[in-house]
Amino acid sequence: MSMFSLAGRHALITGANTGIGQAIAIAVASAGASVTCAGRSSSAQTVSMIAGAGGEARELALDLSDPMAARDAFAESAYDLLINNAGIIRRADAVDFSEDDWDAVMDVNLKAVFFTSQAFARALMSRNASGKIVNIASLLSFQGGIRVASYTAAKHGVAGITKLLANEWASRGINVNAIAPGYIATNNTEALRADEERNAAILARIPAGRWGRAEDIAGTAVYLCSPAADYVHGAILNVDGGWLAR
Ligand code: NAP
């Protein structure tokens, strides 16, 4: 399976302490990469799970509410892979939506994705190296959603910059792609699962008949980081139990 091996690669994953980011960190490490778990909360649990399985991981403090926070992260270590996973969501009716809920989500979910990718690409280009970026998009990169105005705007933006960066950087040996997860049971969707009516409506629409698990996203991330995806640029892969096919 060397086509899917990440041996000898160094990956930085944002928001790897929980949820989808944690599952991706564990999978990328099990494919052979050494992993830096970057986030605002401690990723000690992820690091020890990876170490316990014989992998290599460390933590890096990174609070992306400052979208430029990663500007120096790529100077102190040579990374080959970047997974922009960190994200937040704020829910309110559009008529009541506050500027704070707009800015907070746009900063972490879109502006930080762009400027973290820029810092990573600059470091790669300065050493003439190739690399891969995987962004975590959403069904709301394609659909409107309800009561999540800034999240929808940001995730549509993630789809757009994934394609733009692919256009600019494919010829520089940098693959930029995204994964659009469906409804995955994590902290991000706790409020939806707690609402009986929304939960039933969502479940009824998922062809796979169940909520996704964070682990359902991890294999696609490994694939997009691997040599198997060398000719994949600007793609947004849906991993959604069939939701968008419906
Ligand atoms: P989650 O469990 O809430 O995880 C979000 C991660 O982002 C956490 O590690 C969180 O750290 C980190 N984060 C938030 N703000 C940050 C900041 N300012 N600086 C650094 N890290 C920060 O939710 P998740 O579902 O795994 O979300 C991961 C990604 O998948 C997000 O981009 C989300 O939009 C996307 N997504 C999720 C779903 C879904 O159904 N769950 C669907 C589509 C897309 P803390 O623990 O410190 O908050």
Side-chain angles (χ1 to χ4, degrees):
M1 298 294 282
S2 63
M3 202 188 275
F4 299 101
S5 171
L6 303 183
R9 308 289 162 93
H10 190 184
L12 186 145
I13 306 178
T14 65
N17 59 307
T18 184
I20 292 171
Q22 182 177 60
I24 292 175
I26 291 167
V28 163
S30 76
S34 76
V35 174
T36 294
C37 300
R40 64 177 172 180
S41 302
S42 167
S43 294
Q45 187 195 39
T46 311
V47 167
S48 84
M49 287 165 87
I50 291 172
E56 207 178 304
R58 67 174 187 124
E59 287 194 69
L60 179 70
L62 189 66
D63 184 347
L64 294 166
S65 57
D66 169 6
M68 311 303 287
R71 69 173 82 68
D72 300 324
F74 301 99
E76 48 98 36
S77 198
Y79 294 95
D80 315 284
L81 308 169
L82 168 65
I83 295 122
N84 286 308
N85 163 77
I88 57 173
I89 194 161
R90 300 273 175 93
R91 293 186 168 87
D93 291 343
V95 286
D96 299 325
F97 215 83
S98 69
E99 187 178 2
D100 178 60
D101 284 347
W102 181 270
D103 288 342
V105 173
M106 294 298 273
D107 279 354
V108 176
N109 291 21
L110 183 58
K111 192 170 174 183
V113 171
F114 178 78
F115 284 103
T116 303
S117 299
Q118 183 192 63
F120 172 66
R122 283 179 176 170
L124 283 177
M125 288 172 192
S126 75
R127 58 189 168 94
N128 269 327
S130 59
K132 291 186 164 67
I133 297 174
V134 179
N135 295 324
I136 304 302
S138 168
L139 297 177
L140 301 189
S141 297
F142 309 107
Q143 300 182 307
I146 302 165
R147 307 186 71 245
V148 287
S150 53
Y151 188 86
T152 299
K155 293 296 186 179
H156 271 67
V158 167
I161 61 167
T162 297
K163 293 176 224 177
L164 171 127
L165 296 177
N167 291 339
E168 292 200 25
W169 295 344
S171 64
R172 312 286 296 263
I174 303 173
N175 297 72
V176 187
N177 293 293
I179 300 171
Y183 285 87
I184 312 296
T186 66
N187 300 334
N188 176 294
T189 51
E190 212 173 308
L192 292 180
R193 280 174 290 120
D195 178 336
E196 243 173 73
E197 227 169 275
R198 284 297 306 278
N199 188 34
I202 287 166
L203 261 181
R205 220 210 106 141
I206 301 174
R210 65 166 175 85
W211 279 76
R213 294 181 277 269
E215 296 72 28
D216 288 319
I217 307 304
T220 305
V222 170
Y223 159 65
L224 287 175
C225 285
S226 76
D230 277 354
Y231 198 59
V232 181
H233 293 279
I236 302 165
L237 297 186
N238 312 326
V239 183
D240 64 355
W243 177 279
L244 283 177
R246 185 103 179 223

